[in-house]
Amino acid sequence: MALHFVTDDAGNAHAGDTVVLTGAEAHHAAAVRRVRVDEAVTLGDGRGAWLTGVVTAASPKQVEVRVTGREVVPGPSPRFVLVQALAKGDRDELAVQAATELGVDAIVPWQASRSVSRWDAKVDKGLARWRTIVREAAKQAHRAWIPEVEGVARTADLVRLAATALVLVLEPSASDRLTSVAVEASDGRDVVLVVGPEGGIAPEELSALADAGARLVRLGDTVLRTSTAGSAAISVLSAAHGRW
């Protein structure tokens, strides 16, 4: 499989054009992935543009690619959105990385009441870190669309979201299984998967979400970590919708 790189310039490029990679992307292509002249590669802008091309010049500061073909990949419908509670260590980052590789379409950091990690004074730093992880994971997975990382949500934001989206809260004690939920592509609503922190979702948060119309579902008879529950749920939905 051809190596894949991401650049905004791919959005407006067509067959016959030359796209130039510079900065970190050029260094990654030439010094890390060691692309060579005449090697076939693919390029994307993370918003649906997908180019095939051939490297015509390669150095750590600049890589030139002659475009041989262009495709526009439609945006996903319905969108699969992961609401990931902030967790200590790198557990939430592992969750975000895996979910991106497995097909999530958007990610929302959630400051749950039981979240040990707090972003109160470092929101910008936290969002920048997650966005970098998502971009690199999407590039590694050769995805035409890079998931958007939205602003930090509070529980009240999720309650409001339940009015316009199909919100599925992953809760080990729920009676319904995720596999029993019918998600129709024609519905048009986002499918939102809510994953709690290490200590689980607080009872008052579960009640507020359920009262707003969210459905509590479980993945099976075992309890998954916050770092794996979201990616497991994305896998179930992807398989059910023929993405896999």
Side-chain angles (χ1 to χ4, degrees), residues 4-7 19-36 43 55 57-65 135 139:
H4 181 65
F5 304 100
V6 177
T7 172
V19 175
V20 179
L21 303 179
T22 58
E25 198 71 358
H27 181 269
H28 178 71
V32 179
R33 303 308 299 271
R34 298 189 178 278
V35 295
R36 295 293 180 262
L43 303 174
V55 176
S59 74
K61 292 186 177 181
Q62 183 168 301
V63 174
E64 298 180 9
V65 178
R135 185 181 188 276
K139 184 168 66 173

Side-chain angles (χ1 to χ4, degrees), residues 106-128:
I107 295 171
V108 180
W110 175 31
Q111 189 73 74
S113 65
R114 289 181 173 175
S115 289
V116 176
S117 175
R118 314 299 295 185
W119 277 12
D120 299 329
K122 53 181 180 179
V123 171
D124 291 343
K125 181 179 179 180
L127 289 174

Side-chain angles (χ1 to χ4, degrees), residues 41-197:
V41 297
T42 58
L43 303 174
D45 65 349
R47 297 181 296 277
W50 189 266
L51 309 178
T52 55
V54 176
V55 176
T56 57
S59 74
K61 292 186 177 181
Q62 183 168 301
V63 174
E64 298 180 9
V65 178
R66 177 172 53 82
V67 179
T68 58
R70 174 185 173 89
E71 178 185 359
V72 177
V73 179
S77 181
R79 291 197 317 160
F80 298 156
V81 180
L82 173 64
V83 173
Q84 175 63 52
L86 301 183
K88 64 182 179 181
D90 62 353
R91 291 178 182 175
D92 49 15
E93 294 180 358
L94 290 172
V96 167
Q97 180 183 45
T100 301
E101 293 179 9
L102 292 168
V104 77
D105 302 308
I107 295 171
V108 180
W110 175 31
Q111 189 73 74
S113 65
R114 289 181 173 175
S115 289
V116 176
S117 175
R118 314 299 295 185
W119 277 12
D120 299 329
K122 53 181 180 179
V123 171
D124 291 343
K125 181 179 179 180
L127 289 174
R129 173 65 177 164
W130 279 29
R131 285 166 181 155
T132 297
I133 291 171
V134 165
R135 185 181 188 276
E136 294 307 308
K139 184 168 66 173
Q140 186 277 328
H142 290 212
R143 295 191 56 182
W145 288 85
I146 296 177
E148 179 182 358
V149 178
E150 301 177 6
V152 179
R154 305 286 176 170
T155 301
D157 299 317
L158 305 187
V159 168
R160 287 190 290 270
L161 186 60
T164 58
L166 175 58
V167 177
L168 305 175
V169 182
L170 300 185
E171 168 54 41
S173 65
S175 56
D176 293 336
R177 292 178 180 266
L178 176 60
T179 51
S180 70
V181 177
V183 179
E184 300 294 337
S186 59
D187 187 323
R189 293 185 297 169
D190 287 346
V191 180
V192 180
L193 294 163
V194 179
V195 177

